[in-house]
C-alpha cells in the first residue's frame, strides 16, 4: 500500500535530520583531529557513517512504499567546542532530540494506522536507546579520567579501534 502523505512528510524530515546528524559528527570528528585526538576523531567518523546509514534506511523505506523522497538543504553545524566533555554533552543532548523526532514519527504512523511504518520505526527506537547509552558511557569515562594525561590517552587509543559495521544490516540492538 502506498505510503500516506502525513507519514511520508515526517519520514522525509527524518531523512534530513539524520543527514544533519551525520554532518554534525563529521564536524566533531574534524575538531577531535585538530586537538590531536585521533581515536576520538575515528569514533566520530564511524558515528558519521552510522547516521548516513540511518538516513539511507529512511530513504529506502520511503521508496519501498512508493513514496517521494524530497531532499532538503542540510543546515549548518557547529565546528568548535569548549572541551571534549562539552562536545560529548552536546552529543548526548543531540541524540535525545533525535529520539524525540523518532518518537514523533512513531506517533504519526500510529495515528495514521500505518502498521508497516510503526514496525520499521521500532528498529530506530531500539537503536536510539543504544546511541544514548554509548554517549553516556564516554561522558562517564571523560569525567573519571579528566581531559589531560595518561587516562585520556588510553581512552583515545581504545576509541581508535572502533570500526564501522552498518547497523541497519543487523537486527535492532
Ligand atoms: Fe540516527 Fe544518532 O541517530
Amino acid at each position: 500500500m502506498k505510503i500516506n502523505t502525513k507519514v511520508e512528510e515526517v519520514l522525509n524530515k527524518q531523512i534530513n535530520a539524520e543527514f544533519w546528524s551525520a554532518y554534525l559528527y563529521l564536524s566533531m570528528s574534524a575538531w577531535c583531529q585538530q586537538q590531536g585526538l585521533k581515536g576520538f576523531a575515528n569514533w566520530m567518523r564511524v558515528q558519521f557513517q552510522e547516521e548516513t546509514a540511518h538516513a539511507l534506511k529512511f530513504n529506502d523505506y520511503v521508496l519501498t512504499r512508493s513514496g517521494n523522497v524530497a531532499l532538503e538543504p542540510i543546515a549548518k553545524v557547529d565546528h568548535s567546542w569548549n572541551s571534549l566533555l562539552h562536545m560529548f554533552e552536546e552529543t548526548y543532548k543531540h541524540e535525545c532530540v533525535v529520539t524525540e523526532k523518532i518518537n514523533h514519527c512513531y506517533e504519526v504512523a500510529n495515528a495514521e494506522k500505518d502498521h508497516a511504518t510503526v514496525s520499521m520505526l521500532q528498529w530506530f527506537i531500539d537503536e536510539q536507546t543504544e546511541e544514548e547509552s554509548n554517549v553516556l558511557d564516554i561522558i562517564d569515562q571523560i569525567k573519571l579520567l579528566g581531559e589531560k594525561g595518561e587516562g585520556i590517552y588510553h581512552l583515545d587509543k581504545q576509541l581508535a579501534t572502533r570500526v564501522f559495521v552498518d547497523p541497519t544490516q543487523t537486527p535492532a540492538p
Side-chain angles (χ1 to χ4, degrees):
M1 190 165 55
K2 188 178 187 304
I3 200 163
N4 148 308
T5 315
K6 281 188 192 162
V7 177
E8 181 184 72
E9 194 180 316
V10 289
L11 295 188
N12 265 292
K13 283 200 175 125
Q14 196 60 33
I15 294 172
N16 189 270
E18 299 291 346
F19 275 127
W20 191 83
S21 291
Y23 213 37
L24 176 66
Y25 286 126
L26 189 60
S27 181
M28 288 175 163
S29 175
W31 185 82
C32 291
Q33 186 85 20
Q34 286 161 351
Q35 311 307 309
L37 296 163
K38 286 188 181 164
F40 280 91
N42 173 66
W43 192 91
M44 284 296 180
R45 188 174 279 243
V46 171
Q47 203 62 24
F48 156 75
Q49 290 171 294
E50 285 213 359
E51 298 303 346
T52 304
H54 292 169
L56 292 176
K57 186 175 173 83
F58 278 111
N59 181 89
D60 295 348
Y61 177 77
V62 171
L63 293 175
T64 301
R65 295 287 309 282
S66 307
N68 289 319
V69 169
L71 297 177
E72 297 285 339
I74 301 169
K76 191 176 164 189
V77 292
D78 284 344
H79 56 82
S80 71
W81 291 269
N82 299 334
S83 66
L84 204 52
L85 183 60
H86 175 232
M87 189 185 69
F88 272 90
E89 283 173 343
E90 289 299 306
T91 300
Y92 179 66
K93 278 192 222 158
H94 169 66
E95 283 302 334
C96 291
V97 170
V98 174
T99 299
E100 282 171 14
K101 287 178 190 292
I102 300 274
N103 288 345
H104 177 65
C105 291
Y106 188 90
E107 283 154 20
V108 171
N110 244 327
E112 296 300 315
K113 297 187 171 43
D114 183 341
H115 303 296
T117 301
V118 167
S119 171
M120 183 276 292
L121 286 168
Q122 191 60 55
W123 184 90
F124 277 99
I125 289 170
D126 297 340
E127 174 80 351
Q128 279 310 116
T129 306
E130 200 204 12
E131 294 263 280
E132 287 179 23
S133 163
N134 289 344
V135 176
L136 284 177
D137 283 350
I138 295 178
I139 289 176
D140 285 346
Q141 290 185 72
I142 295 171
K143 282 183 179 167
L144 210 64
L145 300 168
E147 299 211 16
K148 305 257 179 253
E150 208 175 319
I152 208 75
Y153 172 79
H154 288 297
L155 180 56
D156 190 62
K157 287 268 177 233
Q158 184 192 320
L159 298 183
T161 62
R162 188 183 187 197
V163 175
F164 174 65
V165 178
D166 187 343
T168 67
Q169 299 305 311
T170 55

